[in-house]
Amino acid sequence: ERLAEVIDVLRAHWSGQPIDVHGKHVRVGGFEGRPLPAQSRIPLMIGGGAEKILTLAGQQADIVSFNFNNAAGTLGAGSVATSTEEQTMQKLAWVREAAGDRFAELELEIGAYFIAVTDDQAAAAGAIGGRFGVDAAAILSHPHAYIGSVGQICATLIERRERFGFSNFCIAQRHLDEFAPVVARLAGH
């Protein structure tokens, strides 16, 4: 509820019109947002891994970011298990239902949390999966994992774009140099 009201404040602020948002949690009024944004509409990204936040994202966001369900507050086997292929399909269903007719307009983003650019895919998948109590096959099919050679990762990215609709893959800064050949190949360089 609070986040939905903050979204109303942000959009009102960006509109240049007088702000008058008086909800249950947020009460803002009596001024116009300044400076005005340079673009007519600022895209809003909302993401998470649980039904409530993904429903809000489907209703309000321009970009929906898919994540683990971090209700436990720590990254571990439990949180990794909340984003399997099956669970990611469920998350997509929540967003699709909440978005209704505007679903096709949404940009879908996912974080690439498990990355290893290597010619020994099996060993890397075993090592990464072992840290989270997941076997190599399960980690290779995990929507947040991109493990293998440049060619294997490119194929995985394309497959996940087609299957899930992801068009934006967030790569952590610590993996930028390692992942650069993947981007170069996909960009045709």
Side-chain angles (χ1 to χ4, degrees):
E1 286 180 341
R2 190 173 304 138
L3 179 57
E5 291 178 15
V6 169
I7 291 167
D8 290 343
V9 171
L10 290 172
R11 291 215 165 114
H13 189 278
W14 297 332
S15 75
Q17 301 300 313
I19 298 174
D20 186 24
V21 177
H22 296 281
K24 178 179 174 183
H25 304 282
V26 177
R27 290 164 210 70
V28 178
F31 67 96
E32 296 174 7
R34 294 290 185 263
L36 292 177
Q39 58 201 73
S40 62
R41 180 166 169 90
I42 295 175
L44 182 63
M45 179 195 279
I46 301 172
E51 184 174 7
K52 197 171 191 178
I53 190 68
L54 289 171
T55 296
L56 178 64
Q59 294 166 343
Q60 297 284 335
D62 302 292
I63 306 163
V64 178
S65 178
F66 291 82
N67 202 333
F68 300 149
N69 181 332
N70 290 321
T74 61
L75 178 61
S79 57
V80 172
T82 67
S83 289
T84 63
E85 291 178 87
E86 180 181 326
Q87 297 215 338
T88 300
M89 293 304 276
Q90 175 61 64
K91 292 172 186 182
L92 279 164
W94 294 331
V95 171
R96 186 176 286 111
E97 181 179 340
D101 292 341
R102 63 183 223 100
F103 181 77
E105 299 167 24
L106 298 179
E107 181 177 338
L108 305 180
E109 183 271 344
I110 190 165
Y113 300 132
F114 309 116
I115 293 178
V117 180
T118 177
D119 289 329
D120 194 348
Q121 184 184 50
I128 292 171
R131 285 184 276 193
F132 297 98
V134 177
D135 68 33
I139 200 73
L140 286 173
S141 67
H142 199 282
H144 293 275
Y146 301 88
I147 302 167
S149 67
V150 170
Q152 288 169 319
I153 293 173
C154 287
T156 298
L157 287 163
I158 291 166
E159 184 272 331
R160 291 189 183 151
R161 180 187 64 203
E162 292 170 0
R163 183 158 36 116
F164 298 113
F166 299 133
S167 60
N168 185 324
F169 300 86
C170 184
I171 310 301
Q173 185 173 355
R174 68 182 178 276
H175 293 292
L176 290 182
D177 291 338
E178 176 184 13
F179 212 77
V182 174
V183 174
R185 181 168 301 174
L186 287 171
H189 293 53

